[in-house]
Amino acid sequence: MKRRKFIATGAAGILATALRAERIAAARPESLILSTWSFGVPANEAAMAALREGKTVLDAVEAGVRVPEADPSVSSVGYGGYPDRDGRVTLDACIMDGNGRCGSVTFLQHIMHPVSVARKVMEETPHMMLSGEGALRFALEQGFPQENLLTPQAEAAWKKWVLDNHYQPLPPEDIHDTIGMIAMDRNGQIAGACTTSGIAFKMHGRVGDSPIIGAGLFAENGVGAATATGVGGEVIRIAGSAIVVEQIRHGKTPQAAVEEAIRRIARHVGERGKTMQLGMLALDAKGRYGAFSISPGFQYALTLNGSTSLQKSKSLYP
Ligand code: SD4
């Protein structure tokens, strides 16, 4: 009798879980893609095109962020990115799927698509992160072409900066704009990618939050994803993207979770927060999303059920 009751209760539990999963799936948008800044619009469109072709959500975020990586007019990502204070373009990127698979490259030079190298690190090595010389050697072995990423415009900006600033790195508040992209497909599979040339005119060797899993990016199926842009050191300090996803796991909406993360950063930085930019995006497994920044002006690209628009984020400070 006891056993029969136990089986009946167990079966009811399984049925309830299945019904809940079905309800979540029914409410989920057909596609949801979020990425930072206005260059996120063509990036989201490329990601959406990949999903339409039946590619995985991991393929989609990679294809998406490759767009600004290859665009010489974007001075903060990939080709055309502003160099460090020694005039070298050094890139950081990472990629993660919702099953905890991830790869990352930091301080990588001469390769236009660091996100794709990060994916190769994930798929072709026993490691998660390669840096500098080792990352470059690996990229070349994988067949990525070695290229000059310093455009004449970026070189001119650097030369002017050298004259104006006497080789003193700028406070990182001044120059930013990474692409972080997070996405969920119609089956609820989640992935993200993040890629940047980092803070302009940084010290040689400086690495920010963008290639660090849990800081610049985090994704987990069944829970959600988050990504960050802005002053990377402050995002690292609070493990930004990881804590956003963790709060979603514990019941916060993506909007409440990104607001809490930005408030936490604001407590660390005090008055400096009023002159710095730092933005976060998040989505959850139910298809809800959120955006928040410390200062006004943060924009993000939103693709919902196939149509893409540029949105203004709310900010902590007016
Ligand atoms: C970094 N978070 O390297 C990056 C910079 C950036 O928009 O541009 N973010 O700290």
Side-chain angles (χ1 to χ4, degrees), residues 173 231-240 243 259-276 278 280 294 316-317:
E173 280 84 309
V231 182
E234 302 306 334
V235 181
I236 294 173
R237 208 192 297 283
I238 66 152
I243 65 144
E259 289 188 15
E260 165 60 22
I262 295 291
R263 280 179 212 286
R264 215 176 274 195
I265 290 170
R267 284 199 288 276
H268 278 289
V269 299
E271 282 298 300
R272 279 198 305 131
K274 294 183 178 154
T275 56
M276 75 169 53
L278 220 155
M280 293 200 77
I294 193 161
L316 182 63
Y317 297 119

Side-chain angles (χ1 to χ4, degrees), residues 176-178 196 198-199 206 208-210 229-230 232:
H176 49 78
D177 281 8
T178 290
T196 189
I199 302 287
R206 181 264 182 194
D209 60 320
S210 306
T229 176

Side-chain angles (χ1 to χ4, degrees), residues 5-24:
K5 191 172 174 203
F6 175 76
I7 290 171
T9 314
I14 290 168
L15 191 64
T17 309
L19 284 175
R20 202 175 318 126
E22 223 170 77
R23 261 204 314 276
I24 290 174

Side-chain angles (χ1 to χ4, degrees), residues 27 44 55 67 84 104 119 138 157 206 229 250 259 271 290 300 307 309 313:
N44 277 25
K55 301 231 169 93
V67 174
D84 65 15
S104 152
R119 182 160 179 184
F138 170 71
R206 181 264 182 194
T229 176
H250 292 295
E259 289 188 15
E271 282 298 300
Y300 63 101
S307 94
S309 56
S313 165

Side-chain angles (χ1 to χ4, degrees), residues 223-309:
V223 185
T227 193
T229 176
V231 182
E234 302 306 334
V235 181
I236 294 173
R237 208 192 297 283
I238 66 152
S241 294
I243 65 144
V244 167
V245 174
E246 206 49 32
Q247 290 179 76
I248 292 172
R249 186 198 312 283
H250 292 295
K252 276 211 162 85
T253 62
Q255 185 62 38
V258 286
E259 289 188 15
E260 165 60 22
I262 295 291
R263 280 179 212 286
R264 215 176 274 195
I265 290 170
R267 284 199 288 276
H268 278 289
V269 299
E271 282 298 300
R272 279 198 305 131
K274 294 183 178 154
T275 56
M276 75 169 53
Q277 187 54 295
L278 220 155
M280 293 200 77
L281 301 175
L283 61 80
D284 73 6
K286 293 179 182 155
R288 299 177 297 187
Y289 59 89
F292 202 59
S293 60
I294 193 161
S295 295
F298 175 44
Q299 294 178 304
Y300 63 101
L302 169 69
T303 302
L304 195 56
N305 294 327
S307 94
T308 301
S309 56

